[in-house]
Amino acid sequence: MMLTEETTLPSAGLPLATFKAHLHLGTGFAEDNLQDPLLEGFLRAAMAAIEARIGKVLLERGFVLELTRWADPAGQPLPLAPVTEVTAVVLRDAQGVESPVPVARWRLEHDMQRPCLRAAGGVLPAIPQGGHVLLRFRAGLSDDWPGLPADLAQAVLLLAAHFYEYRQDTGLGSGCMPFGVTSLIERYRSLRLSMGVPGIGGRA
């Protein structure tokens, strides 16, 4: 399995001005924008860390999942949530020839924890020997920053500020996340499913 982010969140989609205000940075100076690339990097890092912790995409982007076999011929769980749409299912044989699968052959089962690509009837199409299938989909809790739940937006700002404050500190432990951030994101973390099977991003 290989998961790739196909579309990167543009800089205009990041809450740079809000983050500057959160840091109480001065304004009205000629050097106001000098730190923008640095601040943008901390925002992206904070979003990535929180997405990894809760198993959910914050701002909507496009992804492609490459598989050599189905987890279950009746339905393939998707590794991110919430999935807003599956845009294409494409079979690629060993020679690289692609064959799009008609939309009538599959459907998206929406779920906040474990979305799934289901066969519309029977089973999903067979993956060619030596080939693979590409699932293109879009996932995200919101398509813009204002639409993000307030607690998650605050968690991103807090964590980005933490990264900014300790940017010179190399002694922080791996996976360090301030308590204020963990408390804000806790309710979004994926729960363990029945029979002891963890959900996407489930707790260890």
Side-chain angles (χ1 to χ4, degrees):
M1 181 181 80
M2 184 167 65
L3 178 67
T4 305
E5 185 174 326
E6 282 200 306
T7 57
T8 302
L9 185 67
S11 297
L14 295 171
L16 196 56
T18 303
F19 186 36
K20 287 181 176 181
H22 180 82
L23 294 174
H24 301 291
L25 297 181
T27 59
F29 302 99
E31 299 83 7
D32 277 357
N33 299 326
L34 288 180
Q35 289 197 85
D36 284 6
L38 178 68
L39 299 178
E40 180 180 319
F42 288 136
L43 282 170
R44 291 185 186 277
M47 288 181 57
I50 290 172
E51 288 179 340
R53 185 67 65 95
I54 67 176
K56 294 176 178 64
V57 180
L58 299 183
L59 296 180
E60 188 174 304
R61 294 166 340 256
F63 300 85
V64 59
L65 178 65
E66 182 178 320
L67 302 166
T68 55
R69 62 183 179 86
W70 300 115
D72 183 331
Q76 173 65 46
L78 299 173
L80 297 174
V83 173
T84 56
E85 64 172 334
V86 174
T87 57
V89 177
V90 180
L91 299 174
R92 182 182 289 168
D93 65 20
Q95 287 71 47
V97 178
E98 295 189 349
S99 303
V101 179
V103 177
R105 296 282 308 277
W106 48 268
R107 63 181 176 84
L108 171 63
E109 183 178 277
H110 293 276
D111 191 282
M112 280 298 292
Q113 304 294 342
R114 199 171 178 82
C116 189
L117 181 78
R118 293 285 184 191
V123 296
L124 293 167
I127 298 175
Q129 183 70 30
H132 49 267
V133 62
L134 302 174
L135 307 181
R136 289 190 165 86
F137 62 94
R138 295 188 63 79
L141 288 164
S142 174
D143 58 3
D144 60 14
W145 180 262
L148 202 61
D151 47 2
L152 287 177
Q154 183 67 12
V156 171
L157 295 177
L158 286 174
L159 186 55
H162 178 75
F163 289 159
Y164 179 81
E165 182 177 357
Y166 292 97
R167 60 192 180 280
Q168 305 297 339
D169 193 337
T170 58
L172 290 175
S174 144
C176 176
M177 191 169 282
F179 172 74
V181 176
T182 57
S183 63
L184 286 168
I185 68 175
E186 182 64 24
R187 74 186 184 97
Y188 294 95
R189 295 184 67 182
S190 298
L191 303 176
R192 285 187 180 275
L193 303 177
S194 60
M195 306 297 290
V197 179
I200 299 298
R203 300 170 191 163

